[in-house]
mmCIF file of all heavy atoms in Angstrom:
data_model
loop_
_atom_site.group_PDB
_atom_site.id
_atom_site.type_symbol
_atom_site.label_atom_id
_atom_site.label_comp_id
_atom_site.label_asym_id
_atom_site.label_seq_id
_atom_site.Cartn_x
_atom_site.Cartn_y
_atom_site.Cartn_z
ATOM 1 N N ALA A 250 -55.578 126.037 94.492
ATOM 2 C CA ALA A 250 -55.654 125.218 95.703
ATOM 3 C C ALA A 250 -57.083 124.963 96.155
ATOM 4 O O ALA A 250 -57.304 124.339 97.202
ATOM 5 C CB ALA A 250 -54.885 125.903 96.841
ATOM 6 N N GLU A 251 -58.073 125.416 95.386
ATOM 7 C CA GLU A 251 -59.462 125.252 95.798
ATOM 8 C C GLU A 251 -59.887 123.788 95.729
ATOM 9 O O GLU A 251 -59.763 123.140 94.689
ATOM 10 C CB GLU A 251 -60.390 126.085 94.906
ATOM 11 C CG GLU A 251 -60.445 127.542 95.258
ATOM 12 C CD GLU A 251 -61.046 127.778 96.635
ATOM 13 O OE1 GLU A 251 -62.255 127.536 96.809
ATOM 14 O OE2 GLU A 251 -60.305 128.194 97.529
ATOM 15 N N PRO A 252 -60.428 123.240 96.841
ATOM 16 C CA PRO A 252 -60.893 121.850 96.842
ATOM 17 C C PRO A 252 -62.356 121.767 96.398
ATOM 18 O O PRO A 252 -63.012 122.786 96.180
ATOM 19 C CB PRO A 252 -60.770 121.472 98.327
ATOM 20 C CG PRO A 252 -61.120 122.759 99.033
ATOM 21 C CD PRO A 252 -60.540 123.864 98.172
ATOM 22 N N VAL A 253 -62.852 120.545 96.279
ATOM 23 C CA VAL A 253 -64.295 120.344 96.152
ATOM 24 C C VAL A 253 -64.938 120.835 97.442
ATOM 25 O O VAL A 253 -64.447 120.577 98.537
ATOM 26 C CB VAL A 253 -64.615 118.844 95.944
ATOM 27 C CG1 VAL A 253 -66.106 118.590 96.061
ATOM 28 C CG2 VAL A 253 -64.088 118.390 94.589
ATOM 29 N N ARG A 254 -66.041 121.568 97.312
ATOM 30 C CA ARG A 254 -66.699 122.134 98.503
ATOM 31 C C ARG A 254 -68.197 121.829 98.453
ATOM 32 O O ARG A 254 -68.886 122.191 97.506
ATOM 33 C CB ARG A 254 -66.453 123.644 98.576
ATOM 34 C CG ARG A 254 -64.981 123.997 98.725
ATOM 35 C CD ARG A 254 -64.749 125.483 98.643
ATOM 36 N NE ARG A 254 -65.350 126.184 99.757
ATOM 37 C CZ ARG A 254 -65.382 127.516 99.862
ATOM 38 N NH1 ARG A 254 -64.863 128.266 98.900
ATOM 39 N NH2 ARG A 254 -65.936 128.097 100.898
ATOM 40 N N HIS A 255 -68.682 121.177 99.513
ATOM 41 C CA HIS A 255 -70.078 120.748 99.547
ATOM 42 C C HIS A 255 -70.984 121.703 100.314
ATOM 43 O O HIS A 255 -72.202 121.514 100.322
ATOM 44 C CB HIS A 255 -70.174 119.356 100.174
ATOM 45 C CG HIS A 255 -69.439 118.305 99.400
ATOM 46 N ND1 HIS A 255 -69.830 117.895 98.142
ATOM 47 C CD2 HIS A 255 -68.314 117.601 99.696
ATOM 48 C CE1 HIS A 255 -69.004 116.969 97.699
ATOM 49 N NE2 HIS A 255 -68.064 116.776 98.608
ATOM 50 N N ASN A 256 -70.418 122.696 100.954
ATOM 51 C CA ASN A 256 -71.231 123.583 101.798
ATOM 52 C C ASN A 256 -70.564 124.951 101.867
ATOM 53 O O ASN A 256 -69.835 125.252 102.795
ATOM 54 C CB ASN A 256 -71.374 122.973 103.194
ATOM 55 C CG ASN A 256 -72.263 123.820 104.097
ATOM 56 O OD1 ASN A 256 -72.941 124.741 103.651
ATOM 57 N ND2 ASN A 256 -72.249 123.496 105.378
ATOM 58 N N ILE A 257 -70.814 125.780 100.866
ATOM 59 C CA ILE A 257 -70.224 127.116 100.796
ATOM 60 C C ILE A 257 -71.211 128.103 101.390
ATOM 61 O O ILE A 257 -72.334 128.261 100.891
ATOM 62 C CB ILE A 257 -69.898 127.493 99.346
ATOM 63 C CG1 ILE A 257 -68.957 126.462 98.724
ATOM 64 C CG2 ILE A 257 -69.283 128.889 99.284
ATOM 65 C CD1 ILE A 257 -68.778 126.626 97.225
ATOM 66 N N ALA A 258 -70.807 128.779 102.456
ATOM 67 C CA ALA A 258 -71.710 129.651 103.202
ATOM 68 C C ALA A 258 -71.363 131.123 102.988
ATOM 69 O O ALA A 258 -70.217 131.466 102.670
ATOM 70 C CB ALA A 258 -71.622 129.326 104.692
ATOM 71 N N PRO A 259 -72.336 132.020 103.180
ATOM 72 C CA PRO A 259 -72.039 133.452 103.146
ATOM 73 C C PRO A 259 -70.931 133.800 104.137
ATOM 74 O O PRO A 259 -70.823 133.221 105.219
ATOM 75 C CB PRO A 259 -73.377 134.083 103.562
ATOM 76 C CG PRO A 259 -74.404 133.092 103.129
ATOM 77 C CD PRO A 259 -73.777 131.749 103.377
ATOM 78 N N GLY A 260 -70.092 134.736 103.739
ATOM 79 C CA GLY A 260 -68.955 135.127 104.567
ATOM 80 C C GLY A 260 -67.675 134.411 104.194
ATOM 81 O O GLY A 260 -66.591 134.826 104.610
ATOM 82 N N GLN A 261 -67.783 133.332 103.404
ATOM 83 C CA GLN A 261 -66.605 132.589 102.985
ATOM 84 C C GLN A 261 -66.115 133.063 101.622
ATOM 85 O O GLN A 261 -66.835 133.739 100.884
ATOM 86 C CB GLN A 261 -66.929 131.092 102.926
ATOM 87 C CG GLN A 261 -67.282 130.484 104.267
ATOM 88 C CD GLN A 261 -67.613 129.008 104.150
ATOM 89 O OE1 GLN A 261 -67.947 128.518 103.079
ATOM 90 N NE2 GLN A 261 -67.505 128.300 105.262
ATOM 91 N N GLN A 262 -64.898 132.680 101.287
ATOM 92 C CA GLN A 262 -64.342 132.951 99.972
ATOM 93 C C GLN A 262 -65.017 132.033 98.948
ATOM 94 O O GLN A 262 -65.238 130.854 99.222
ATOM 95 C CB GLN A 262 -62.842 132.702 99.967
ATOM 96 C CG GLN A 262 -62.058 133.676 100.838
ATOM 97 C CD GLN A 262 -61.818 134.994 100.122
ATOM 98 O OE1 GLN A 262 -62.708 135.814 99.999
ATOM 99 N NE2 GLN A 262 -60.612 135.195 99.647
ATOM 100 N N ILE A 263 -65.326 132.563 97.785
ATOM 101 C CA ILE A 263 -66.011 131.799 96.761
ATOM 102 C C ILE A 263 -65.369 132.087 95.407
ATOM 103 O O ILE A 263 -64.910 133.207 95.160
ATOM 104 C CB ILE A 263 -67.512 132.140 96.762
ATOM 105 C CG1 ILE A 263 -68.293 131.185 95.858
ATOM 106 C CG2 ILE A 263 -67.770 133.585 96.388
ATOM 107 C CD1 ILE A 263 -69.791 131.299 96.050
ATOM 108 N N VAL A 264 -65.314 131.077 94.553
ATOM 109 C CA VAL A 264 -64.740 131.260 93.221
ATOM 110 C C VAL A 264 -65.673 132.123 92.381
ATOM 111 O O VAL A 264 -66.888 131.902 92.342
ATOM 112 C CB VAL A 264 -64.522 129.909 92.519
ATOM 113 C CG1 VAL A 264 -64.018 130.125 91.092
ATOM 114 C CG2 VAL A 264 -63.535 129.061 93.301
ATOM 115 N N THR A 265 -65.101 133.100 91.709
ATOM 116 C CA THR A 265 -65.879 133.973 90.840
ATOM 117 C C THR A 265 -65.170 134.135 89.501
ATOM 118 O O THR A 265 -63.954 133.953 89.393
ATOM 119 C CB THR A 265 -66.086 135.365 91.463
ATOM 120 O OG1 THR A 265 -64.804 135.964 91.700
ATOM 121 C CG2 THR A 265 -66.866 135.280 92.763
ATOM 122 N N LEU A 266 -65.945 134.485 88.500
ATOM 123 C CA LEU A 266 -65.419 134.790 87.178
ATOM 124 C C LEU A 266 -65.756 136.231 86.858
ATOM 125 O O LEU A 266 -66.926 136.612 86.837
ATOM 126 C CB LEU A 266 -66.039 133.856 86.134
ATOM 127 C CG LEU A 266 -65.722 134.157 84.661
ATOM 128 C CD1 LEU A 266 -64.223 134.100 84.408
ATOM 129 C CD2 LEU A 266 -66.464 133.199 83.759
ATOM 130 N N GLY A 267 -64.731 137.046 86.652
ATOM 131 C CA GLY A 267 -64.926 138.446 86.320
ATOM 132 C C GLY A 267 -64.271 138.803 85.011
ATOM 133 O O GLY A 267 -63.726 137.931 84.322
ATOM 134 N N PRO A 268 -64.279 140.064 84.648
ATOM 135 C CA PRO A 268 -63.648 140.491 83.397
ATOM 136 C C PRO A 268 -62.179 140.113 83.296
ATOM 137 O O PRO A 268 -61.649 139.943 82.195
ATOM 138 C CB PRO A 268 -63.831 142.014 83.425
ATOM 139 C CG PRO A 268 -65.035 142.234 84.290
ATOM 140 C CD PRO A 268 -64.958 141.176 85.342
ATOM 141 N N ASP A 269 -61.501 139.968 84.463
ATOM 142 C CA ASP A 269 -60.078 139.620 84.471
ATOM 143 C C ASP A 269 -59.827 138.130 84.670
ATOM 144 O O ASP A 269 -58.675 137.714 84.867
ATOM 145 C CB ASP A 269 -59.353 140.412 85.560
ATOM 146 C CG ASP A 269 -59.412 141.915 85.301
ATOM 147 O OD1 ASP A 269 -59.378 142.300 84.122
ATOM 148 O OD2 ASP A 269 -59.502 142.678 86.284
ATOM 149 N N GLY A 270 -60.885 137.317 84.658
ATOM 150 C CA GLY A 270 -60.708 135.881 84.797
ATOM 151 C C GLY A 270 -61.211 135.348 86.131
ATOM 152 O O GLY A 270 -61.998 135.998 86.830
ATOM 153 N N LEU A 271 -60.745 134.145 86.496
ATOM 154 C CA LEU A 271 -61.180 133.470 87.713
ATOM 155 C C LEU A 271 -60.406 133.980 88.924
ATOM 156 O O LEU A 271 -59.215 134.250 88.850
ATOM 157 C CB LEU A 271 -60.977 131.962 87.582
ATOM 158 C CG LEU A 271 -61.898 131.243 86.594
ATOM 159 C CD1 LEU A 271 -61.359 129.858 86.286
ATOM 160 C CD2 LEU A 271 -63.318 131.155 87.149
ATOM 161 N N GLY A 272 -61.104 134.096 90.048
ATOM 162 C CA GLY A 272 -60.475 134.543 91.281
ATOM 163 C C GLY A 272 -61.341 134.182 92.462
ATOM 164 O O GLY A 272 -62.314 133.421 92.342
ATOM 165 N N LEU A 273 -61.006 134.709 93.631
ATOM 166 C CA LEU A 273 -61.746 134.461 94.857
ATOM 167 C C LEU A 273 -62.284 135.769 95.405
ATOM 168 O O LEU A 273 -61.590 136.790 95.403
ATOM 169 C CB LEU A 273 -60.852 133.799 95.901
ATOM 170 C CG LEU A 273 -60.334 132.399 95.571
ATOM 171 C CD1 LEU A 273 -59.306 131.967 96.607
ATOM 172 C CD2 LEU A 273 -61.486 131.401 95.516
ATOM 173 N N MET A 274 -63.523 135.742 95.871
ATOM 174 C CA MET A 274 -64.135 136.900 96.519
ATOM 175 C C MET A 274 -64.908 136.446 97.751
ATOM 176 O O MET A 274 -65.355 135.294 97.823
ATOM 177 C CB MET A 274 -65.102 137.624 95.569
ATOM 178 C CG MET A 274 -64.448 138.327 94.405
ATOM 179 S SD MET A 274 -65.656 139.321 93.461
ATOM 180 C CE MET A 274 -64.565 140.074 92.253
ATOM 181 N N ARG A 275 -65.061 137.347 98.693
ATOM 182 C CA ARG A 275 -65.880 137.064 99.872
ATOM 183 C C ARG A 275 -67.345 137.129 99.465
ATOM 184 O O ARG A 275 -67.784 138.100 98.843
ATOM 185 C CB ARG A 275 -65.591 138.098 100.966
ATOM 186 C CG ARG A 275 -66.408 137.916 102.236
ATOM 187 C CD ARG A 275 -66.166 139.089 103.183
ATOM 188 N NE ARG A 275 -66.861 138.929 104.431
ATOM 189 C CZ ARG A 275 -68.142 139.268 104.644
ATOM 190 N NH1 ARG A 275 -68.854 139.782 103.656
ATOM 191 N NH2 ARG A 275 -68.700 139.092 105.819
ATOM 192 N N TRP A 276 -68.114 136.105 99.842
ATOM 193 C CA TRP A 276 -69.547 136.105 99.539
ATOM 194 C C TRP A 276 -70.278 136.957 100.576
ATOM 195 O O TRP A 276 -70.420 136.586 101.712
ATOM 196 C CB TRP A 276 -70.092 134.684 99.519
ATOM 197 C CG TRP A 276 -71.546 134.598 99.131
ATOM 198 C CD1 TRP A 276 -72.322 135.591 98.595
ATOM 199 C CD2 TRP A 276 -72.390 133.463 99.261
ATOM 200 N NE1 TRP A 276 -73.592 135.143 98.371
ATOM 201 C CE2 TRP A 276 -73.661 133.826 98.765
ATOM 202 C CE3 TRP A 276 -72.187 132.163 99.738
ATOM 203 C CZ2 TRP A 276 -74.738 132.935 98.752
ATOM 204 C CZ3 TRP A 276 -73.258 131.285 99.718
ATOM 205 C CH2 TRP A 276 -74.505 131.665 99.237
ATOM 206 N N GLY A 277 -70.689 138.139 100.162
ATOM 207 C CA GLY A 277 -71.361 139.086 101.036
ATOM 208 C C GLY A 277 -70.684 140.445 100.939
ATOM 209 O O GLY A 277 -69.491 140.569 101.200
ATOM 210 N N ILE A 278 -71.431 141.449 100.535
ATOM 211 C CA ILE A 278 -70.889 142.802 100.404
ATOM 212 C C ILE A 278 -71.135 143.567 101.694
ATOM 213 O O ILE A 278 -72.278 143.765 102.113
ATOM 214 C CB ILE A 278 -71.538 143.536 99.210
ATOM 215 C CG1 ILE A 278 -71.114 142.876 97.893
ATOM 216 C CG2 ILE A 278 -71.161 145.019 99.203
ATOM 217 C CD1 ILE A 278 -71.749 143.482 96.651
ATOM 218 N N ILE A 279 -70.045 143.978 102.344
ATOM 219 C CA ILE A 279 -70.151 144.816 103.545
ATOM 220 C C ILE A 279 -70.434 146.239 103.069
ATOM 221 O O ILE A 279 -69.585 146.854 102.420
ATOM 222 C CB ILE A 279 -68.854 144.773 104.369
ATOM 223 C CG1 ILE A 279 -68.529 143.329 104.768
ATOM 224 C CG2 ILE A 279 -68.967 145.663 105.595
ATOM 225 C CD1 ILE A 279 -67.152 143.174 105.394
ATOM 226 N N PRO A 280 -71.598 146.782 103.356
ATOM 227 C CA PRO A 280 -72.020 148.039 102.730
ATOM 228 C C PRO A 280 -71.486 149.293 103.410
ATOM 229 O O PRO A 280 -72.236 150.243 103.665
ATOM 230 C CB PRO A 280 -73.545 147.962 102.832
ATOM 231 C CG PRO A 280 -73.774 147.202 104.099
ATOM 232 C CD PRO A 280 -72.652 146.196 104.204
#
């Protein structure tokens, strides 16, 4: 369901590619 996105900001969900394939992660690690 991910659309074209022209302004992806920290704190938002972002498409990532990991060992298990494509998914969504929050941009920014809460330490």
Side-chain angles (χ1 to χ4, degrees):
E251 280 295 292
V253 170
R254 297 174 66 186
H255 298 293
N256 183 11
I257 303 170
Q261 296 179 339
Q262 293 279 76
I263 189 168
V264 176
T265 59
L266 173 60
D269 297 325
L271 290 165
L273 295 172
M274 291 187 177
R275 179 187 183 276
W276 184 12
I278 293 177
I279 302 171

